[in-house]
Amino acid sequence: MTDPYRSFVSARPRHYLYALNPLAKLVAVLPAMAALLFTRDILTPLLFLMLALAVIVTGARIGRRTALLLGAALPVLIVVFALGFGAWTDPAAALRSTLLPEGLFGLPPDAVVVQVGDYRYTVAALGVGLATSLRLCSILTLSLIAGLTTAGPDLVRSLVQNLRVPYRFGYTALAAYRFVPRFGRDLEQLRAARRVRGAAARRGPAAWAARTVGMVVPLLAGGIRHAERMSFAMDSRAFGASRHRTERYSVPWRARDTAFVVILPLASLALFVVGQR
């Protein structure tokens, strides 16, 4: 389960993304995401995708799960999205589009890839689907720059300390998000208790549905008890009694954060100009 209180640290200095302010990583990718919303070609989102991958590979710690996500899941997602969006594209409208004036992969735009009855899946439709798929996956990969290297508490502290977001909103949202791993642990404990009592011996869809429905009430009761204990703890610490609250950990804005916010948008602008030529 995703724990918002886990820390992201790296022992190697080359993993520079972990040392940046979380707010800087969010601000730096916003211009690129906004520019991708207005692109309709294939080259521009492909360049942004390569830029995002280069930043992640050079600045983040690449573990087994991250490598599997970027090396296997992302290409499969691009292909599936391209085929799906191409199938939903009107073949006549795709042929009228100026996206692929000379075709794709050496094939003319009106070349038929698959034909089922009167429906024809053309190269032009595949090109439109590929452009849309690359645009969505580029935005997703750009968001991973901050998502893979930022912890929830650090993001909240940065918003409170640098953007002056009221701490009542930030830490309340963080406390609510903390329920996700809490429910996961409670669910595992319920499943273990049922196995010990032999309640999980039956098999089949009906037994699975009965077990699932039977866990709703215990999970709801555990969530209510946890919320009550958390409210008592926050009240005992005078949460929300004053407009400002001291911080144990500081997340300052440094010169390297400013440099990252300047360099990445400039690189995005250069790629956007190259892709639109």
Side-chain angles (χ1 to χ4, degrees), residues 169-261:
F169 300 129
Y171 287 101
T172 301
L174 186 63
Y177 183 47
R178 188 65 178 83
F179 274 75
V180 177
R182 174 78 185 194
F183 275 121
R185 288 192 293 269
D186 290 346
L187 181 61
E188 292 299 326
Q189 291 176 359
L190 285 173
R191 288 175 176 171
R194 285 176 173 268
R195 285 194 294 268
V196 169
R197 294 195 300 266
R202 294 185 301 169
R203 303 293 180 182
W208 175 84
R211 288 195 301 269
T212 303
V213 173
M215 291 181 183
V216 172
V217 175
L219 282 177
L220 183 60
I224 294 174
R225 286 195 299 267
H226 178 65
E228 188 177 10
R229 288 194 296 267
M230 183 176 294
S231 65
F232 288 154
M234 295 171 74
D235 287 340
S236 64
R237 289 166 175 82
F239 184 83
S242 61
R243 295 183 57 184
H244 303 285
R245 195 172 183 89
T246 58
E247 294 284 349
R248 182 180 180 183
Y249 299 102
S250 177
V251 186
W253 185 279
R254 301 182 177 90
R256 58 193 177 195
D257 302 316
T258 304
F260 186 74
V261 169

Side-chain angles (χ1 to χ4, degrees), residues 68-83:
L68 183 63
L69 173 65
L70 299 178
L74 184 61
V76 171
L77 193 64
I78 293 174
V79 173
V80 171
F81 278 176
L83 295 176

Side-chain angles (χ1 to χ4, degrees), residues 112-229:
V112 178
V113 179
V114 177
Q115 182 171 358
V116 179
D118 295 335
Y119 174 78
R120 296 187 305 169
Y121 192 96
T122 61
V123 172
L126 178 60
V128 173
L130 181 60
T132 307
S133 174
L134 286 173
R135 186 161 63 249
L136 292 177
C137 291
S138 298
I139 294 175
L140 174 63
T141 310
L142 285 169
S143 66
L144 292 179
I145 294 176
L148 292 175
T149 60
T150 303
D154 291 336
L155 178 59
V156 172
R157 294 188 187 104
S158 180
L159 292 174
V160 172
Q161 297 174 21
N162 299 297
L163 284 187
R164 299 298 185 265
V165 174
Y167 73 91
R168 300 178 184 87
F169 300 129
Y171 287 101
T172 301
L174 186 63
Y177 183 47
R178 188 65 178 83
F179 274 75
V180 177
R182 174 78 185 194
F183 275 121
R185 288 192 293 269
D186 290 346
L187 181 61
E188 292 299 326
Q189 291 176 359
L190 285 173
R191 288 175 176 171
R194 285 176 173 268
R195 285 194 294 268
V196 169
R197 294 195 300 266
R202 294 185 301 169
R203 303 293 180 182
W208 175 84
R211 288 195 301 269
T212 303
V213 173
M215 291 181 183
V216 172
V217 175
L219 282 177
L220 183 60
I224 294 174
R225 286 195 299 267
H226 178 65
E228 188 177 10
R229 288 194 296 267

Side-chain angles (χ1 to χ4, degrees), residues 35-45 97-100 127-128 130-132 135 272 276:
L36 285 170
L37 296 177
F38 300 96
T39 60
R40 293 296 181 268
D41 61 312
I42 295 177
L43 179 59
T44 304
S97 174
T98 59
L99 175 63
L100 297 170
V128 173
L130 181 60
T132 307
R135 186 161 63 249
F272 184 79
Q276 294 301 310

